[in-house]
Structure formats: structure tokens, C-alpha cells
Amino acid sequence: MVVVNGLIFGLVLAILIGPVFFTLLQTSIEKGFDKAILVAIGIFFSDLVYISLAYFGLSKVIKNSEYNEWIGYVGGVILIVFGIVSLFKSRRKTAVVHRSVSAKGFFRYIFKGFIINGISPFVLLFWLGAMSMATIEYGYSDETLIVFFGIIMIIVFITDVLKAYLAGKLRALITPRLFTILNVAVGLALIAFGIRMFVYNW
């Protein structure tokens, strides 16, 4: 079941629309597929840092069972809020976000992906919500957590590479309507995850 849950959550995260999504597409279209892969690697390591922070930040608290219910509720709220924000995004026009990151050499694009993903506090909040869901609702610990988040990270990285590969070839399909559909789908999925956590802790 841990594999299935990881696949589902990974696929939801893979189509989450934000600055990272547009940075990846923009880099692929303007600089080439190979540079976009470097950006994807930077995003991967940035998420890895945040997952580690989420784990070590919650692990001590989760060991005290009296806080588990509250952690579950907070995690549910975080996921529901993200879902609502995604739904609101679907109602406005989406444009490619241009951000410049100063770096030189081979690591320039890795650094770009790391920073663009890492500068948003919402990324850490998102992983805190995911961590609370995995530990409280699913009851995962240590080894199963590694498998769960490992699958998520692999799915996200593979889909990031796929997005970069298809960006130039399917540019005509990357339309505001597509972004609207993706935002609605992700929003509803995250709200469903959040509600499940509330029901579980009720």
C-alpha cells in the first residue's frame, strides 16, 4: 500500500502548478533539454532538504501520542489550503514567471532549480502537510517513510524530466486552459487528502 500511496501523491505533486513548473518549461524551451534536466536535479535536492527538515521537525513531536491528533488536523488544514489556492489559481490567467538567478558554470541551472523551489515557504509547509499525513494517517515510520517519500521523489523527478522533454515539442498544447484543468485537478485532490486526514482523526 505504501507504494500505491507514494505513486498517487507523487502524481498529484507532479502536476502542481507554480513557479518551478514554469521555470522548468521555460528553461527547456529557451536553453534546451539538457539544461532543464539540471534544473530538475536542483529541484530534487531542494525538495530533499525540505523533506528532511519536515521529518526531523516532526519526529520528536510525533513520538508523543497526545500531539498526534493535533498534528493530523494541522496537516489536513495545510493540504486543504493548498487545494483551495490551486482552485483559485484556475480562475485567473496564468503566465510564465521570469526570475533570474545569478550563478556561473555547470552548476548554474542546478542552483537555479534549487533556489526557485527553495525560496517559497509554501514548499516547506507542503512537505510538513505530507509528512503529517504519512506519519499520522498512514502510520508510516522510518523505513516505510523512506519508501513513501522515495517513490514520490522519483515520480516527481521523472515527470519533471518528461515535462522538460515535451515542452519544446508540445508547446502548442501548453495553454491557459490546460493550466486551468491541472489546477482544478490538483486542488480537488489535495482537498480530498486534507479531508481524509480530518475524517481519520475525528
Side-chain angles (χ1 to χ4, degrees), residues 162-174:
L162 188 61
K163 291 172 199 171
Y165 177 74
L166 296 176
K169 300 179 181 299
L170 302 178
R171 189 183 304 188
L173 297 179
I174 304 174

Side-chain angles (χ1 to χ4, degrees), residues 138-157:
Y138 296 157
Y140 297 156
S141 61
D142 299 336
E143 292 82 6
T144 45
L145 276 177
I146 293 174
V147 174
F148 177 71
F149 283 101
I151 291 172
I152 293 175
M153 294 294 288
I154 291 170
I155 292 295
V156 172
F157 181 75

Side-chain angles (χ1 to χ4, degrees), residues 35-100:
K35 302 297 191 302
I37 290 179
L38 296 178
V39 172
I41 292 173
I43 295 169
F44 178 91
F45 282 113
S46 180
D47 280 334
L48 192 60
V49 169
Y50 274 135
I51 290 172
S52 300
L53 290 174
Y55 173 74
F56 289 111
L58 287 178
S59 59
K60 291 183 179 179
V61 181
I62 289 171
K63 288 179 181 178
N64 190 335
S65 60
E66 68 179 278
Y67 295 117
N68 284 4
E69 183 177 336
W70 290 105
I71 293 172
Y73 285 134
V74 170
V77 168
I78 291 174
L79 294 177
I80 289 173
V81 168
F82 268 93
I84 293 172
V85 169
S86 187
L87 288 178
F88 273 108
K89 281 183 180 180
S90 70
R91 301 182 61 182
R92 66 173 186 263
K93 291 183 177 180
T94 310
V96 176
V97 178
H98 293 269
R99 295 189 183 184
S100 60

